[in-house]
């Protein structure tokens, strides 16, 4: 298993397959363990990492459940792999033996580099550092919500920066000055107060013949240091500055001039300004960029990407070719696309101001109104504006679009101009506005991906996502001012979540706080959460550009009618993300029909494709889509879509559980219409993976069905999922589903459904230690099932009363209940036997006898159950029974037979069932035979 904390939390198998952990709480728990890998983390610290200052009363138990979920995920991903998560003392630990953690690999690489450097091998030291630094994908645990031990993350970040400094010193040792200038430029921009980076950049520029630029770096750094920290530079930097002053050359009889103070150091000497024109020549230098946003925050990765596009454009396609005539570089274009309000224009304008000094012949800007209340601007109208800005008198601007485009390209052929085309509608609108010369750079923003520019014009593309959580909070703090957000960190983080980390929404919410100094951040969160119209609350009155709903309106209205309809129905799903087949169910269509429409919504950045045939809708967009559905999609159509989706999930869940517990008898229900496409999973492992991947959605469907009066689905779906819940530790969700099922069955007057729902609820209550409540539900369940003549269901309830007695320390009484249950089951006609339930009853009777001290009866029924499971081919119950036989023989003082049973259980699990939770328990039991400090699992859960 490969674990990643140097960036977003990531877990992959040895084959590179990503492992989904199942939720934020599991991620926070694993992150806390990985930051202290190979060491035991106390449960108290894990509770703090998962829940922060307000843990629930059941937090300690839930930590155990979360650890069990993680064990199952790991075992499911690599069934034959070594254990990852162990219990020890009063906590848990992640064991890296046989696994890989990128932070550990990074630290090892840094250590190898230092050893090589000490041995006088700078090339080897540099290679080790480069390899180690390449492991970083972003800040430590980037984007992970909640509070985690900060010290470990800060230490890793500091080690990273020190390694980067050492790396660049090694590059200098090897004489690679010019090559490191772009990298150092980006690092100085990202860490403007880190003196060593500034000094390295100064030396690299100086050694590249750019002493004036190096001195400009010094002026900028010293000014920042004094302004922000009130400090002077170190003696080392002062000495370097003096060294550069003594050696600064003169160019053409005049002193070399560095870049403009607001431009930063140039990325490449080829981008330096041309010599001034002859006296008397007037060359217009348009400077049309809008003012940059004062609240711009973060986006370091995206800014670095844009810098990379500019550097690649400066190098040109012929830069790295073999000797011979160089290929003239084509005009460079890049696109920045994203959903409404995500900050595309703000990012590009901010970046353009940073680099405008590299384009001495001017900067052209146009808002193309691609997504505005009025029609998009024509390319010819924009060309006329640009030509006038470049000095062409109005009457001389060609009236023919082709001629105007040709004049525009001619005028820019040998100039260095930055062109910003904002809010583009299509590639066709943009293409006539692209310069033809090799020294210009064009930046285009749009709500669509403009794939045509990439395919035909070689454009580089950047899809802008939501702000990372830390940047979102920083934006709030910057707009609000007065450190108000910093004094309420939890509320600020929650406000960022309520705003969906959408920059437009964040800026609006922050501005409302800025003009209301008496309002706390927590009050603003409460207002937005309580608002019936959250989108309406996220607007500034009288400013149409500062309304989230208005921004979404423009994107929605640009869609074809079919895409609008699917967009509205998507909001009816149980979660922000849906697979293609579920979307097809909402629409009552086959997947082949809806797939192209999903592509249209993805291109328009109204949906995000997440891989594995799954699409996601941003939270605020989902609110907007629900509004559109309520106003534009009829109530009958919405109800039919919800019913189709419920039917899709119910039938898929039933198909999955038939693979998980193939020998259980089931109650039939109607199948969906001709649009339904059965699932493709064919094994129990595939079925379980589907249940886990759709767990949140299955719970959401139960809630949706209960809320919208689809009571038949609301009780049938939890009942259908029992075989999945049997091997899953989602006790909180299972209890909620059971309670919703009880209420739904009661509303519909279905005594059969209510009886089984109460029985399931009792099972969950017993598992969490609420034994009196569990017994009360069992009594109600038995009465209900007896009233409808469900003898098998009644037997199941009796068996669960035996489970209740076991849990309350009465194995003798439990044995009597299990005997009654088994007798009632075997009294049914043999052709109606439910062999799955009979096998569970025999196993439970064997366990009860074992705990009651009746060795003979325990031996008889455990082995009888084992024979039954093998004869009907049920590996799930076979592996469970082998597990209990291991305990049976351990109690008899037969460790070799106990170990043999446990090893056989592992073999069955690994070859057929892929039950990760049980595998972890069996492994722990095997370890306990030689290491009593390791704990075993809880008893087999009741039916």
């Amino acid at each position: 298993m490969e674990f990643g904390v140097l960036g977003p939390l990531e877990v992959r198998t040895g084959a590179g397959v990503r492992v989904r952990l199942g939720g934020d709480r599991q991620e926070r728990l694993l992150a806390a363990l990985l930051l202290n890998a190979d060491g035991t983390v106390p449960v108290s610290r894990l509770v703090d990492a998962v829940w922060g200052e307000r843990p629930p009363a059941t937090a300690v138990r839930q930590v155990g459940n979360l650890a069990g979920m993680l064990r199952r995920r790991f075992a499911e991903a690599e069934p034959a792999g070594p254990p990852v998560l162990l219990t020890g003392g009063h906590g848990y630990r992640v064991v890296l033996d046989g696994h890989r953690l990128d932070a550990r690999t990074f630290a090892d690489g840094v250590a190898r580099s230092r050893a090589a450097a000490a041995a006088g091998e700078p090339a080897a030291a540099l290679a080790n550092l480069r390899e180690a630094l390449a492991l970083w994908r972003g800040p430590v645990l980037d984007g992970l919500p909640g509070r985690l031990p900060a010290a470990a993350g800060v230490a890793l970040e500091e080690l990273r920066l020190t390694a980067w400094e050492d790396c660049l010193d090694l590059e200098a040792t090897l004489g690679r000055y010019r090559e490191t200038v772009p990298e150092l430029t980006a690092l100085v921009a990202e860490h403007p107060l880190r003196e060593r980076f500034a000094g390295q950049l100064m030396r690299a520029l100086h050694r590249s013949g750019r002493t004036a630029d190096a001195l400009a770096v010094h002026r900028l750094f010293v000014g920042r240091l004094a302004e922000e920290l009130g400090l002077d530079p170190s003696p080392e930097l002062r000495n370097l500055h003096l060294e550069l002053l003594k050696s600064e050359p003169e160019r053409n009889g005049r002193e070399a001039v560095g870049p403009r103070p607001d431009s930063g150091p140039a990325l490449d000497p080829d981008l330096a300004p041309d010599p001034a024109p002859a006296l008397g020549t007037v060359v217009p230098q348009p400077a049309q960029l809008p003012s940059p946003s004062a609240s711009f925050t973060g986006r370091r990765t995206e800014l670095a990407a844009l810098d990379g596009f500019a550097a690649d454009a400066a190098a040109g396609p012929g830069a790295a070719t073999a000797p011979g005539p160089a290929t003239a570089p084509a005009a460079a274009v890049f696109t920045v696309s994203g959903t409404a309000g995500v900050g595309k224009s703000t990012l590009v304008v901010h970046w353009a101001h940073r680099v405008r000094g590299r384009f001495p012949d001017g900067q052209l800007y146009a808002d193309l109104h691609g997504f505005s209340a009025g029609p998009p601007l024509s390319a010819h109208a924009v060309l006329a504006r640009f030509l006038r800005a470049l000095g062409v008198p109005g009457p001389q601007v060609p009236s023919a679009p082709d001629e105007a485009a040709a004049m525009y390209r001619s005028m820019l052929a040998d100039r260095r101009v930055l062109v910003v085309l904002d809010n583009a509608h299509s590639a066709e609108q943009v293409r006539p506005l692209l310069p033809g010369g090799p020294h210009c750079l064009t930046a285009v923003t749009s709500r669509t991906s403009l794939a045509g520019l990439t395919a035909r014009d070689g454009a580089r593309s950047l899809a802008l996502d939501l702000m990372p959580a830390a940047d979102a909070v920083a934006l709030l703090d910057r707009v609000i001012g007065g450190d108000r957000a910093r004094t309420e960190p939890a509320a600020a983080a929650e406000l960022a979540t309520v705003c969906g980390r959408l920059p437009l929404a964040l800026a609006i919410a922050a501005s409302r706080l800025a003009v209301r100094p008496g309002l706390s951040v927590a009050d603003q969160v409460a207002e937005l959460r309580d608002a019936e119209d959250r989108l309406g609350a996220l607007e500034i009155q009288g400013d149409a550009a500062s309304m989230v709903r208005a921004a979404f309106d423009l994107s929605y209205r640009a869609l074809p009618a079919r895409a609008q309809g699917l967009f509205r129905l998507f909001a009816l799903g149980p979660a922000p993300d849906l697979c293609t087949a579920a979307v097809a169910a909402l629409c009552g269509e086959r997947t082949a029909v809806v797939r192209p429409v999903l592509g249209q919504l993805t291109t328009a950045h109204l949906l995000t494709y997440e891989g594995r045939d799954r699409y996601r809708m941003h939270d605020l967009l989902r609110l907007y889509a629900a509004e559109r559905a309520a106003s534009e999609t009829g109530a009958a159509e919405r109800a039919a879509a919800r019913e189709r989706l419920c039917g899709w999930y119910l039938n898929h869940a039933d198909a999955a559980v038939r693979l998980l517990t193939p020998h259980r008898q089931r109650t039939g229900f109607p199948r969906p219409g001709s649009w339904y496409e059965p699932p493709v999973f064919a094994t129990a492992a595939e079925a379980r993976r589907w249940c886990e991947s759709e767990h949140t959605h299955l719970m959401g469907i139960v809630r949706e069905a209960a809320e919208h009066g689809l009571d038949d689905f609301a009780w049938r779906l939890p009942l259908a999922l029992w075989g999945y819940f049997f091997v899953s530790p989602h006790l909180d969700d299972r209890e909620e589903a059971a309670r919703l099922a009880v209420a739904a069955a009661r509303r519909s007057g279905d005594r059969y459904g209510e009886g089984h729902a109460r029985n399931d609820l009792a099972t969950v209550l017993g598992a969490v230690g609420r034994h009196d409540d569990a017994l009360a539900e069992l009594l109600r369940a038995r009465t209900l099932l007896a009233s409808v003549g469900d003898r098998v269901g009644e037997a199941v309830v009796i068996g669960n009363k035996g489970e209740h007695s076991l849990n309350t320390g009465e194995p003798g009484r439990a044995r009597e209940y299990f005997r009654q249950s088994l007798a009632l089951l075997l009294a049914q006609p043999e052709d109606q036997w439910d062999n799955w339930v009979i096998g569970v009853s025999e196993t439970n009777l064997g366990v009860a006898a074992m705990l009651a001290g009746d060795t003979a009866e325990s031996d008889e029924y455990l082995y009888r159950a084992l024979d039954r499971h093998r004869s009907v081919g049920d590996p799930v119950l076979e592996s469970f029974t082998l597990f209990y036989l291991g305990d049976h023989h351990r109690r008899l003082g037969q460790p070799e037979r106990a170990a043999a049973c446990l090893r056989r259980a592992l073999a069955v699990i690994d070859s057929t069932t892929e039950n990760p939770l049980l595998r972890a328990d069996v492994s722990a039991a095997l370890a306990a035979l030689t290491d009593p400090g390791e704990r075993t699992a809880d008893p087999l859960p009741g039916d």
Side-chain angles (χ1 to χ4, degrees):
M1 203 78 71
E2 297 186 356
F3 298 96
V5 298
L6 305 182
L9 178 64
E10 192 172 82
V11 182
R12 294 186 182 273
T13 65
V17 178
R18 187 165 185 171
V19 179
R20 295 187 179 276
L21 301 178
D24 289 345
R25 289 183 296 175
Q26 291 95 313
E27 291 181 357
R28 291 194 290 270
L29 181 73
L30 179 60
L33 292 168
L34 289 173
L35 290 177
N36 193 37
D38 287 326
T40 298
V41 182
V43 170
S44 59
R45 282 176 54 193
L46 294 175
V47 167
D48 186 58
V50 175
W51 287 280
E53 298 176 354
R54 297 181 179 178
T58 58
V60 172
R61 175 176 60 78
Q62 288 193 50
V63 165
N65 290 340
L66 293 172
M69 294 180 202
L70 289 174
R71 286 195 185 105
R72 185 179 67 256
R73 293 285 188 182
F74 300 147
E76 184 180 53
E78 288 191 341
V84 176
L85 180 55
L86 297 180
T87 305
H90 298 288
Y92 296 87
R93 69 180 185 276
V94 164
V95 179
L96 291 183
D97 187 18
H99 305 288
R100 180 175 178 269
L101 174 63
D102 58 0
R104 185 70 56 84
T105 305
F106 169 69
D108 292 344
V110 172
R112 287 195 302 271
S113 171
R114 290 173 178 171
E121 300 174 356
L126 177 61
N128 278 314
L129 277 183
R130 285 293 184 192
E131 183 178 350
L133 288 167
L135 295 170
W136 286 77
R137 297 166 288 111
V140 174
L141 297 170
D142 190 23
L144 187 67
R147 182 176 67 184
L148 287 168
V154 171
L156 281 170
E157 290 284 359
E158 180 60 29
L159 183 59
R160 175 196 193 187
L161 293 176
T162 302
W164 222 324
E165 292 167 337
D166 293 345
C167 175
L168 291 161
D169 276 347
L170 288 166
E171 294 276 18
T173 299
L174 297 171
R176 300 171 183 167
Y177 293 103
R178 184 182 295 270
E179 295 87 344
T180 61
V181 168
E183 184 177 13
L184 278 164
T185 301
L187 286 168
V188 168
E190 187 174 357
H191 306 282
L193 297 177
R194 199 159 180 101
E195 184 175 290
R196 193 172 168 193
F197 281 146
Q200 288 172 323
L201 178 57
M202 289 168 60
R203 192 174 296 280
L205 287 167
H206 170 64
R207 293 297 181 93
S208 301
R210 299 169 60 187
T211 304
D213 290 345
L215 292 171
V217 171
H218 180 267
R219 288 195 299 274
L220 188 61
F221 174 78
V222 171
R224 283 172 175 161
L225 195 66
E227 180 180 351
E228 297 189 28
L229 300 180
L231 297 176
D232 294 325
S234 68
E236 291 80 8
L237 196 69
R238 289 199 297 269
N239 290 337
L240 176 60
H241 181 229
L242 290 173
E243 178 185 336
L244 267 57
L245 287 173
K246 294 176 182 177
S247 63
E248 183 180 9
E250 290 188 353
R251 299 176 186 171
N252 300 324
R254 60 184 176 87
E255 191 173 274
V257 180
R260 300 179 188 177
D262 59 350
S263 68
L267 282 179
D268 192 282
D270 292 337
L271 292 178
D274 286 335
L279 291 176
T281 302
V282 177
V283 179
Q285 294 181 341
Q288 298 183 336
L289 294 176
S291 299
S293 171
S295 62
F296 181 86
T297 305
R299 297 298 194 190
R300 293 174 298 176
T301 301
E302 291 82 359
L303 288 169
L306 300 188
D307 283 339
F309 293 164
D312 291 346
T321 57
T327 304
V333 187
F334 68 78
T335 65
V336 177
S337 61
T339 194
V342 81
K344 304 176 293 296
S345 302
T346 303
L347 169 69
V348 169
V349 169
H350 177 86
W351 176 84
H353 276 280
R354 288 202 332 172
V355 301
R356 65 182 183 180
R358 306 173 197 169
F359 299 93
D361 295 318
Q363 308 88 44
L364 295 169
Y365 172 89
D367 180 352
L368 302 184
H369 295 289
F371 295 86
S372 301
L377 284 182
S378 69
H380 185 254
V382 179
L383 285 169
R385 294 182 184 180
F386 283 176
L387 288 171
R388 288 194 296 270
L390 291 167
V392 178
Q396 297 181 23
V397 173
S399 59
D402 289 347
E403 293 179 11
M407 178 181 285
Y408 170 70
R409 289 193 297 271
S410 298
M411 294 194 70
L412 296 187
D414 296 314
R415 299 189 186 186
R416 293 187 176 93
V417 174
L418 175 64
V419 181
V420 178
L421 304 175
D422 198 10
N423 195 14
H425 182 268
S426 64
E428 289 74 16
Q429 184 191 25
V430 168
R431 198 167 279 122
L433 304 175
L434 300 180
H439 306 300
C440 294
L441 182 64
T442 305
V444 187
T445 75
S446 179
R447 296 189 187 186
T448 67
S449 60
L450 300 180
L453 290 181
T454 303
R456 285 189 49 190
D457 303 280
R460 304 285 293 278
S461 62
L462 173 68
L464 195 59
D465 203 349
L466 304 174
M467 295 193 81
D471 286 353
V473 173
L475 173 59
L476 291 170
D477 185 60
R478 185 164 188 170
V479 176
I480 298 169
D483 291 334
R484 287 164 66 191
R486 296 180 194 176
T487 60
E488 297 180 79
E494 189 175 359
L495 181 57
T497 300
V498 172
C499 293
R501 293 186 286 117
L502 188 73
L504 175 59
L506 289 163
I508 292 170
S511 66
R512 289 161 63 94
L513 278 166
V515 298
R516 300 166 70 188
L519 189 70
S520 70
V521 179
D523 290 339
Q524 175 75 98
V525 172
E527 282 188 10
L528 288 175
R529 287 206 180 277
D530 295 341
E532 293 184 5
D533 179 10
R534 187 184 302 178
L535 294 177
L538 289 171
E539 65 179 44
I540 296 176
Q541 294 297 325
D543 185 355
S546 299
M547 299 180 182
V548 173
R549 181 184 285 110
F552 291 165
D553 276 340
L554 297 172
S555 293
Y556 174 72
R557 291 169 184 164
L559 294 172
R562 190 176 184 85
Q564 287 182 347
L566 192 151
F567 175 76
R568 295 193 300 268
L569 290 180
F570 199 102
L572 304 182
D577 64 304
L578 292 172
C579 66
T580 301
V583 178
L586 276 169
C587 300
E589 302 276 9
R590 308 284 283 187
T591 55
V593 175
V594 304
R595 204 179 297 278
V597 189
L598 287 168
Q600 291 176 333
L601 292 172
T602 304
T603 299
H605 289 286
L606 294 174
L607 289 180
T608 302
Y609 181 65
E610 295 203 315
R612 301 181 68 180
D613 212 26
R614 187 170 291 274
Y615 296 82
R616 176 177 291 273
M617 183 178 283
H618 176 257
D619 290 346
L620 294 181
L621 272 172
R622 195 163 175 240
L623 287 176
Y624 175 79
E627 284 185 0
R628 306 305 329 166
S631 62
E632 299 177 28
T633 304
E637 185 180 348
R638 296 198 306 272
R642 286 194 177 96
E643 188 165 349
R644 285 192 299 268
L645 188 61
C646 288
W648 185 86
Y649 273 108
L650 178 58
N651 279 271
H652 265 56
D654 180 66
V657 175
R658 284 180 185 275
L659 288 170
L660 295 175
T661 54
H663 308 293
R664 286 211 71 176
Q665 292 184 356
R666 287 173 173 79
T667 303
F669 43 81
R671 300 300 176 188
S674 59
W675 53 266
Y676 181 70
E677 298 170 75
V680 297
F681 39 75
T683 66
E686 290 176 5
R688 184 175 297 108
R689 281 194 289 271
W690 180 85
C691 290
E692 281 296 325
S693 67
E694 296 287 342
H695 177 85
T696 300
H697 303 72
L698 290 164
M699 286 298 304
I701 280 292
V702 175
R703 298 184 191 105
E704 289 279 318
E707 180 180 348
H708 293 281
L710 298 171
D711 288 333
D712 199 47
F713 291 107
W715 72 258
R716 286 187 183 277
L717 186 54
L719 187 62
L721 285 170
W722 191 91
Y724 159 60
F725 281 132
F726 179 73
V727 292
S728 300
H730 300 290
L731 295 177
D732 291 345
D733 286 345
R734 185 177 174 188
E735 180 181 348
E736 181 188 358
R739 291 191 183 280
L740 289 171
V742 168
R746 289 193 67 186
R747 284 194 300 269
S748 61
D750 196 307
R751 297 175 68 82
Y752 172 88
E754 184 183 351
H756 281 281
R758 289 193 181 279
N759 174 68
D760 193 23
L761 177 58
T763 304
V764 185
L765 294 173
V768 299
R770 295 168 59 183
H771 302 301
D772 291 343
D773 293 339
L775 182 58
E777 292 296 339
L778 289 173
L779 294 174
R780 296 187 188 102
R782 183 174 182 182
T783 300
L784 288 163
L785 295 175
S787 71
V788 296
D790 184 358
R791 303 294 284 169
V792 173
E794 191 178 352
V796 167
V797 174
I798 294 171
N800 279 336
K801 291 179 71 176
E803 183 73 21
H804 170 269
S805 296
L806 276 184
N807 288 334
T808 54
E810 298 179 283
R813 176 176 291 184
R815 182 165 54 166
E816 293 306 315
Y817 279 129
F818 290 136
R819 285 174 176 168
Q820 292 177 33
S821 174
L822 187 57
L824 186 55
L825 290 167
L826 296 176
Q828 306 308 307
E830 189 169 348
D831 62 345
Q832 298 178 22
W833 279 6
D834 188 328
N835 277 301
W836 196 92
V837 178
I838 292 172
V840 169
S841 296
E842 289 175 335
T843 298
N844 283 338
L845 180 53
V847 172
M850 175 180 68
L851 296 176
D854 191 332
T855 302
E857 188 174 40
S858 175
D859 198 82
E860 175 188 353
Y861 278 98
L862 285 175
Y863 277 104
R864 181 187 293 184
L866 184 62
D867 290 341
R868 185 180 301 278
H869 304 325
R870 287 173 172 170
S871 66
V872 299
D874 191 329
V876 172
L877 291 181
E878 178 186 355
S879 53
F880 267 115
T881 305
L882 284 166
F883 174 48
Y884 287 110
L885 277 167
D887 198 21
H888 169 67
H889 288 295
R890 180 189 64 80
R891 291 167 181 267
L892 293 176
Q894 300 169 341
E896 292 183 359
R897 293 192 66 183
C901 289
L902 294 172
R903 281 193 290 269
R904 177 58 188 161
L906 283 178
V908 173
I909 294 168
D910 291 342
S911 63
T912 54
T913 71
E914 295 189 21
N915 186 336
L917 186 61
L918 180 61
R919 191 186 195 284
D921 291 340
V922 173
S923 299
L926 264 174
L929 290 173
T930 55
D931 181 5
E934 296 289 347
R935 300 187 303 191
T936 59
D938 294 332
L940 177 69
D943 183 20

